């Protein structure tokens, strides 16, 4: 008889979440062997039998191009070996920002990756996906999908760590995250306007801060990638005479020299959720993910 516990397979880059998520779910962490063949192809072996068991793949999708093919191969192997249902927990879900054809000829990558992954899994759980022009995961993924909000965990961190915060969202997209955190933390907030001119070039509107000078400025955004958005917002706040703001990002993508860019702009403490392993992680998400996963497992 097969083990009744769900089998959790942890893909490279998500090891930091594996044990906490398994403990929260009462899942067994399975043995998974992945390596590169000399020609660069990926070798996959699942050493804990998935036969007859629900399988959970844990794979945060930062640097997605090198993670997607191994993920697809592990998902296919689990199904092939008899897993009864195979779900994906991707705490960071990549390819959500190219959500429209901004220039003629461009691909809408969010849809294509959504279609690809939907063919490989039976359900999906993620944390704060970048939903902007797509309004729900259901517009991108054809399998049942849950977007877990990090806002309660961020608000709890703020209540513990920051005296009288004043929250700032750098752009219209951030309104959903900063508004939810502000409500949960009982703090005031403003949302600025951003115009993007390129990957590393943005303008951010000057904030009106006169009523909030006695509070601690805290920036909140979903993704810190090049940190251009956060850095420009920090410069605006410092230019308005505020102290170094605390910068909170849900997903610590931190491309190339992003952390230095942010520090050089005059940021204070930089804090992220652990959806992507990074030295700035201070906010845990395993306890947020577990109830959503349980629902998909029917447990
Ligand atoms: C964009 O709309 C997102 O919410 C973030 O503001 C953006 O992805 C941050 O990217 P970067 O750090 O490269 O400015």
């Amino acid at each position: 008889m097969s083990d009744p516990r769900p089998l959790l397979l942890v893909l490279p880059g998500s090891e930091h979440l594996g044990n906490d998520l398994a403990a929260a779910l009462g899942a067994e962490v399975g043995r998974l062997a992945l390596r590169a063949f000399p020609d660069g192809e990926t070798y996959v072996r699942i050493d804990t039998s998935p036969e007859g068991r629900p399988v959970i793949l844990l794979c945060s999708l930062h640097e997605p191009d090198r993670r997607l093919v191994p993920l697809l191969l592990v998902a296919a192997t689990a199904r092939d070996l008899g897993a009864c249902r195979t779900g994906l927990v991707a705490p960071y879900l990549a390819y959500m920002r190219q959500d429209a054809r901004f220039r003629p000829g461009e691909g809408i990558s969010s849809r294509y990756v959504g279609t690809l992954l939907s063919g490989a899994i039976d359900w999906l759980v993620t944390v704060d996906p970048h939903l902007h022009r797509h309004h729900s995961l259901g517009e991108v993924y054809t399998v049942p999908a849950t977007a877990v909000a990090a806002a309660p965990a961020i608000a709890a961190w703020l209540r513990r760590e920051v005296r009288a915060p004043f929250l700032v969202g750098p752009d219209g997209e951030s309104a959903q995250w900063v508004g939810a955190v502000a409500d949960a933390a009982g703090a005031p907030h403003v949302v600025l306007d951003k115009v993007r001119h390129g990957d590393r070039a943005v303008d951010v509107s000057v904030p009106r801060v006169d009523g909030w000078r006695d509070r601690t400025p805290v920036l909140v955004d979903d993704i810190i990638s090049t940190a251009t958005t956060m850095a420009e917002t920090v410069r605006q706040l410092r230019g308005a005479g505020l102290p170094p703001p605390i910068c909170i990002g849900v997903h610590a993508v931190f491309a190339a020299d992003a952390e230095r860019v942010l520090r050089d702009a005059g940021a204070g403490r930089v804090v992220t959720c652990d959806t992507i392993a990074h030295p700035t992680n201070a906010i845990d998400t395993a306890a947020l993910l577990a109830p959503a996963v349980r629902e998909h497992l029917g447990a």
Side-chain angles (χ1 to χ4, degrees):
M1 209 180 93
S2 61
D3 190 321
R5 291 175 297 168
L7 181 65
L8 180 70
L9 298 176
V10 182
L11 280 95
S14 298
E15 295 85 351
H16 65 294
L17 282 169
N19 288 339
D20 284 354
L21 190 60
L25 293 169
E28 179 187 13
V29 179
R31 278 172 294 130
L32 173 66
L34 288 178
R35 72 174 177 86
F37 282 114
D39 60 3
E41 294 183 0
T42 297
Y43 167 88
V44 175
R45 195 179 71 237
I46 301 174
D47 283 328
T48 312
S49 175
E51 194 176 350
R53 302 176 71 176
V55 168
I56 304 159
L57 307 175
L58 174 61
C59 184
S60 206
L61 285 168
H62 52 300
E63 299 174 24
D65 290 11
R66 71 183 176 94
R67 299 191 198 283
L68 277 168
V69 169
L71 171 61
L72 291 169
L73 292 173
V74 174
T77 307
R79 278 185 170 171
D80 203 17
L81 293 176
C84 57
R85 293 186 84 224
T86 302
L88 170 62
V89 178
Y92 173 64
L93 188 60
Y95 277 111
M96 290 298 288
R97 284 180 290 175
Q98 182 75 36
D99 56 2
R101 183 169 288 120
F102 302 99
R103 299 173 57 177
E106 284 181 349
I108 306 174
S109 314
S110 53
R111 285 216 209 119
Y112 313 148
V113 172
T115 302
L116 193 66
L117 280 174
S118 294
I121 55 173
D122 298 302
W123 52 263
L124 167 70
V125 170
T126 186
V127 178
D128 286 332
H130 188 81
L131 292 170
H132 182 206
R133 279 155 286 256
H134 299 308
H135 298 108
S136 73
L137 283 170
E139 292 176 28
V140 187
Y141 284 81
T142 55
V143 292
T146 306
V148 172
I154 297 174
W157 184 89
L158 280 173
R159 281 195 299 269
R160 271 198 320 274
E161 303 278 335
V162 183
R163 189 199 64 82
F166 152 54
L167 272 53
V168 180
D171 55 25
E173 286 111 294
S174 69
Q176 53 188 306
W177 299 289
V178 75
V181 174
D183 287 351
H189 76 282
V190 293
V191 175
L192 309 183
D193 293 317
K194 176 175 88 180
V195 178
R196 187 176 280 282
H197 304 289
D199 289 347
R200 291 168 190 271
V202 300
D203 286 328
V204 174
S205 62
V206 182
R208 298 171 66 118
V209 294
D210 284 341
W212 314 116
R213 288 192 185 278
D214 55 339
R215 287 183 165 258
T216 310
V218 180
L219 304 189
V220 180
D221 204 0
D222 60 336
I223 299 169
I224 306 176
S225 177
T226 63
T228 305
T229 299
M230 280 264 184
E232 187 51 30
T233 311
V234 167
R235 277 189 282 272
Q236 292 295 350
L237 293 176
R238 300 299 305 274
L242 293 183
I246 295 171
C247 294
I248 302 182
V250 177
H251 304 295
V253 171
F254 286 107
D257 58 350
E259 226 180 324
R260 186 188 54 75
V261 167
L262 195 47
R263 307 260 179 226
D264 287 354
R269 188 168 173 194
V270 180
V271 168
T272 58
C273 299
D274 64 358
T275 57
I276 299 171
H278 192 268
T280 57
N281 290 169
I283 300 168
D284 298 343
T285 56
L288 297 176
L289 290 162
V293 175
R294 258 186 243 113
E295 272 195 33
H296 288 285
L297 294 173

